[in-house]
Amino acid sequence: MKKALFIMIDTLVHEVYDEEAQKIIHENFDVIGDPLTKENYLEQKELLAEVEVIFSGWGAPTFDQEFLETTPNLEAIFYAAGTMKSLLSDEVWEKNITVATANTANAVPVAEYTLSQILFSLKNGWQITRNVREDREFHFNQYQMLGAYKRTVGLISLSQVGRKTLELLKPFDLEVIAYDPFVDEEEAEKLGVRMVSLEELFETANIVSLHSPLLPETEGMITGELFATMKTDSTFINTARGAIVKEDELIDVFKERTDLTAILDVTHPEPPLPDSPLYDMDNIVITPHIAGSAGSEVARMGKMVADEALRYVKQEPLKYQISKEDYRTMT
């Protein structure tokens, strides 16, 4: 059996890799030591010299040249978390090390969170909640509602989260439009979504949901000019990265357009500075980066990785392996 080690936050190992995942791993790999962390792994150089497969997750070390020099027999890295941004160096690809991630599994709760906010927002839920608190009474049909029938949802980027959100929206009587310069019309037709420009998306959609990766090309992509064109009583949702949005411009527009609502699960910086206006604006909803896997959801990632590792030892095609090009455009 191939020799394996866990390297991640030690207190999370058995939450992410639960009993079911551990059983698969221990039956098919020779786990040669206790879980290590990025703070102490260099104390176990004799184990690193032997290891062939690493199981990791949150708190992973950086897999750079220094790390790879201590792991000369390393063949594969299985990562049970979301993004691996900044963790992989070019040497990983040069050495043809197999890398598989659970970012597809992590996309599930993000898409579920997004779906919940889309449906609630189409009821004008956050705006009505504010009104009820202010009025301290309410009557049926007292407040204007959009409703979730024949409304338009705009997805910015058909990333893994964007595509999962699109899938979850299928049962609802909604029109879904999308902006993604990497998706052509043929692929869009297969996905059942109409592609539009970023400008048209903001002008047309009742809900605008951001799912782009943070890249040099996307930093600051969402501007105040775009927010200013949003339809009356529409909502902006960000579960991607805060730096994709020009936050100061968002604040300026949303101060003027109190009919708009922004649901921000991510900000830049994160959390916002203590004096940020975001905390005080009634039409801004901040959640503390909770859309991704949390609680019982983290075990989904460990199970996905364990199943992928089983395919690896059986020399079966992998489902969640990433390439150097995949890594460049990952969220």
Side-chain angles (χ1 to χ4, degrees):
M1 290 196 294
K2 293 188 181 295
K3 297 180 179 180
L5 280 172
F6 290 89
I7 308 180
M8 58 182 292
I9 298 173
D10 51 359
T11 55
L12 292 179
V13 170
H14 290 281
E15 290 185 37
V16 175
Y17 295 94
D18 67 1
E19 185 176 344
E20 185 178 4
Q22 290 280 347
K23 185 173 187 292
I24 293 170
I25 291 168
H26 282 271
E27 285 179 352
N28 292 279
F29 294 87
D30 177 16
V31 180
I32 58 177
D34 293 332
L36 303 177
T37 69
K38 66 180 179 181
E39 289 79 22
N40 68 16
Y41 75 91
L42 287 175
E43 299 170 11
Q44 301 292 335
K45 288 188 176 181
E46 70 284 356
L47 295 180
L48 296 176
E50 296 180 47
V51 70
E52 297 165 282
V53 175
I54 288 173
F55 292 95
S56 193
W58 289 304
T62 301
F63 300 103
D64 55 13
Q65 183 174 354
E66 180 184 10
F67 182 90
L68 296 177
E69 285 174 355
T70 68
T71 55
N73 294 305
L74 184 62
E75 298 177 7
I77 301 166
F78 294 96
Y79 184 76
T83 183
M84 293 191 79
K85 234 21 177 179
S86 304
L87 290 179
L88 301 177
S89 67
D90 287 342
E91 287 83 6
V92 170
W93 312 114
E94 291 167 6
K95 289 180 174 290
N96 293 317
I97 293 171
T98 297
V99 181
T101 83
N103 55 345
T104 301
N106 193 51
V108 173
V110 181
E112 291 172 344
Y113 171 102
T114 303
L115 175 64
S116 74
Q117 297 307 305
I118 289 172
L119 296 178
F120 190 61
S121 296
L122 286 171
K123 284 285 190 181
N124 279 22
W126 290 111
Q127 188 178 82
I128 291 171
T129 298
R130 298 192 296 269
N131 292 340
V132 168
R133 183 181 297 115
E134 183 178 340
D135 296 344
R136 295 186 176 273
E137 64 173 359
F138 62 89
H139 304 284
F140 185 67
N141 285 339
Q142 178 180 356
Y143 303 111
Q144 179 69 32
M145 289 192 193
L146 282 173
Y149 181 65
K150 301 297 184 183
R151 298 298 182 179
T152 302
V153 175
L155 304 179
I156 302 173
S157 177
L158 293 175
S159 60
Q160 287 186 340
V161 175
R163 290 177 189 231
K164 186 64 180 176
T165 302
L166 176 62
E167 178 186 331
L168 293 181
L169 288 168
K170 294 290 186 187
F172 301 95
D173 291 313
L174 297 166
E175 180 188 13
V176 182
I177 59 177
Y179 167 76
D180 190 322
F182 298 103
V183 174
D184 60 27
E185 289 299 328
E186 183 180 353
E187 185 176 9
E189 188 173 348
K190 289 179 183 177
L191 292 170
V193 63
R194 181 167 68 88
M195 306 305 294
V196 298
S197 68
L198 191 57
E199 291 76 15
E200 182 179 348
L201 188 144
F202 270 87
E203 292 170 2
T204 306
N206 301 103
I207 308 291
V208 175
S209 190
L210 177 61
H211 303 289
S212 300
L214 177 58
L215 304 170
E217 302 93 318
T218 63
E219 186 171 355
M221 177 175 72
I222 309 303
T223 65
E225 185 176 354
L226 291 168
F227 287 126
T229 67
M230 292 178 74
K231 298 176 75 171
T232 301
D233 292 329
S234 56
T235 298
F236 173 72
I237 302 169
N238 188 4
T239 57
R241 287 292 182 269
I244 301 171
V245 177
K246 289 189 175 178
E247 209 164 82
D248 289 346
E249 296 182 12
L250 177 150
I251 289 168
D252 289 342
V253 173
F254 277 67
K255 281 182 177 179
E256 291 293 322
R257 293 281 308 276
T258 56
D259 62 296
L260 302 179
T261 299
I263 300 168
L264 307 179
D265 190 55
V266 290
T267 59
H268 183 71
E270 194 171 286
L273 297 176
D275 62 350
S276 171
L278 292 174
Y279 290 118
D280 302 314
M281 294 173 64
D282 288 340
N283 57 342
I284 303 291
V285 178
I286 300 175
T287 56
H289 208 134
I290 62 171
S293 298
S296 65
E297 297 162 347
V298 302
R300 180 191 282 119
M301 298 188 296
K303 178 60 164 56
M304 175 178 282
V305 159
D307 288 341
E308 185 81 330
L310 183 57
R311 285 187 282 272
Y312 178 75
V313 295
K314 290 182 176 181
Q315 298 184 330
E316 296 174 355
L318 300 185
K319 294 183 178 181
Y320 307 111
Q321 183 175 356
I322 62 170
S323 66
K324 184 177 182 180
E325 180 57 27
D326 294 331
Y327 180 64
R328 189 189 74 80
T329 57
M330 285 176 68
T331 303

